[in-house]
Amino acid sequence: MNSRIGPVERATKRSWDEWLAFMERAGASELDHKAIAVKVFYELEGTGIEPLGWWTQAVTTAYEQYIGRRIPGQRPDGTFQMSVSRSTKLGMPELMEAWVAFAPADEFVAGAIEGEPKVSGTERRITWRVKGAGGSQIIVTSEPKPNGTASLIAAQLGLPSPELNDEARASWTEAVARFLRTLPPPR
C-alpha cells in the first residue's frame, strides 16, 4: 500500500475508498497533476484541514502514485526530489547562520552547488537556495518549531532518476549529520 494513504485518511477523515470514488467522479485519471490538485483543493476547502495547500498536494500525489502515474519522490515534471529533516535545539536565525558558515567548508556541499547561494526569509522560515550540479536545485530551510527551536530541511529537486535521488538522499543525510555535529551542545 502507498505510504501516503494512511496519513491522508487520518488528516482528511475520509477513507481511501471515499477518495477513490471522488477521483472517479472527477475524472482524475484523465487529468494532469494541476487539474487534479484544483479539484482536491475545492473538495477540502472549508473542512478546516491545515495547511490546505500541503494536504491538497498530499492527496493528489497519493492518488497519482496509487494509479501508477508517479513513483515516490517523483515530481509532476518527471524529475525527482528528496529531503532530509532534523530537529535542533537552536532557534531559526541561529540555525541558518550556522548552516551558512558550514556549507562552504563542507566538501560535499561545496561540490554539489553551482554559483552563490541566496538566503531569504520570513518569520515562518529562512531559506538558503542555490543551483545544484546537473541543473538541480538545492534548498536548505530553517523552520521554527513551537518550543522556540528550529528544524533544518535539506532538499534537492530536479534530479533525473530514482537512483540519483537515492544517492542524493544518502549524501545529504550524511552532510546534515556532519552539520549537526558542528553545533554547540544544548545548554
Side-chain angles (χ1 to χ4, degrees):
M1 181 163 115
N2 180 329
S3 64
R4 292 178 177 263
I5 292 173
V8 162
E9 288 178 318
R10 287 187 296 279
T12 63
K13 297 177 178 45
R14 290 188 186 182
S15 72
W16 189 243
D17 286 339
E18 290 173 297
W19 276 114
L20 290 177
F22 167 78
M23 295 295 186
E24 178 71 25
R25 287 189 308 276
S29 65
E30 304 302 318
L31 302 176
D32 67 9
H33 177 85
K34 185 176 180 180
I36 297 170
V38 167
K39 291 191 179 288
V40 171
F41 178 89
Y42 287 119
E43 183 70 11
L44 289 174
E45 192 174 43
T47 65
I49 192 168
E50 290 292 331
L52 178 57
W54 194 91
W55 284 108
T56 295
Q57 290 299 318
V59 172
T60 303
T61 300
Y63 175 73
E64 289 177 323
Q65 289 177 0
Y66 180 83
I67 65 171
R69 185 178 293 170
R70 290 169 62 178
I71 60 176
Q74 191 174 30
R75 296 163 37 108
D77 66 3
T79 64
F80 292 82
Q81 72 179 42
M82 53 65 50
S83 66
V84 176
S85 176
R86 298 290 182 270
S87 295
T88 74
K89 300 290 183 190
L90 294 179
M92 189 174 71
E94 296 81 16
L95 182 59
M96 185 53 68
E97 288 171 20
W99 174 261
V100 168
F102 169 84
D106 184 78
E107 187 176 338
F108 165 73
V109 176
I113 68 173
E114 294 180 355
E116 286 297 313
K118 293 183 179 24
V119 178
S120 61
T122 67
E123 66 278 351
R124 297 185 69 177
R125 72 182 50 85
I126 303 172
T127 304
W128 180 93
R129 296 175 192 270
V130 66
K131 287 189 180 210
S136 66
Q137 182 180 14
I138 297 169
I139 303 170
V140 177
T141 307
S142 174
E143 294 187 354
K145 296 179 71 68
N147 61 2
T149 63
S151 291
L152 185 85
I153 302 101
Q156 191 165 1
L157 296 73
L159 296 160
S161 72
E163 295 79 18
L164 288 175
N165 200 53
D166 290 345
E167 288 175 24
R169 182 181 315 283
S171 295
W172 282 103
T173 298
E174 291 171 10
V176 169
R178 282 191 303 278
F179 168 66
L180 293 177
R181 289 193 295 271
T182 70
L183 298 179
R187 296 180 199 188

